[in-house]
Amino acid sequence: MYQPQTQPGEGEPLIAPSTTDHPLYDGVVEACRSVYDPEIPVNIYDLGLIYTIAIDDTNAVRILMTLTAPGCPVAGEMPGWVADAVSAMPGVRQVDVDMVFQPPWGMEMMSDEARLELGFI
């Protein structure tokens, strides 16, 4: 999976780290994997569209995501799909999904499984 990069000379990652040690994290990832970009037959997590999954002590989830292209026809709908999928999980108190475009999505952000599915490897 894509690893956060830092700007040269800076210590802040371009993509904030996820709360991978939270007990709900793996379930949130699986919920994100249930959402597909309608133009690409791969789930949005493996496409690398989910940048950050932050879960606080009250089980509130904040997801930062992007699109393969800013002009994506479902740009207004996809955050809702993600929020619906994650909020259906037992134990999740609330879900906020924010769309970001920095850094821009690139094919290097896809998982190996997504690259294989799309014929890139």
Side-chain angles (χ1 to χ4, degrees):
M1 186 48 65
Y2 181 73
Q3 296 297 313
Q5 299 176 1
T6 57
Q7 292 280 1
E10 296 180 15
E12 290 297 311
L14 292 175
I15 298 172
S18 292
T19 316
T20 57
D21 59 346
H22 194 284
L24 291 175
Y25 178 79
D26 289 338
V28 172
V29 168
E30 287 309 308
C32 290
R33 281 190 167 126
S34 73
V35 179
Y36 282 74
D37 183 316
E39 297 178 333
I40 305 171
V42 175
N43 71 73
I44 63 169
Y45 186 84
D46 288 330
L47 276 176
L49 300 182
I50 301 295
Y51 281 175
T52 302
I53 298 171
I55 310 168
D56 70 16
D57 293 338
T58 68
N59 293 347
V61 180
R62 181 169 183 241
I63 295 173
L64 299 179
M65 68 171 292
T66 195
L67 301 169
T68 55
C72 177
V74 294
E77 299 172 52
M78 198 174 294
W81 299 343
V82 174
D84 289 347
V86 174
S87 64
M89 285 183 49
V92 170
R93 185 173 62 84
Q94 77 177 53
V95 180
D96 294 309
V97 180
D98 295 318
M99 190 71 67
V100 298
F101 295 100
Q102 289 300 319
W105 179 84
M107 290 178 43
E108 72 280 358
M109 296 174 172
M110 288 191 287
S111 69
D112 288 342
E113 292 83 3
R115 288 187 193 134
L116 183 62
E117 178 77 23
L118 296 173
F120 293 123
I121 56 174

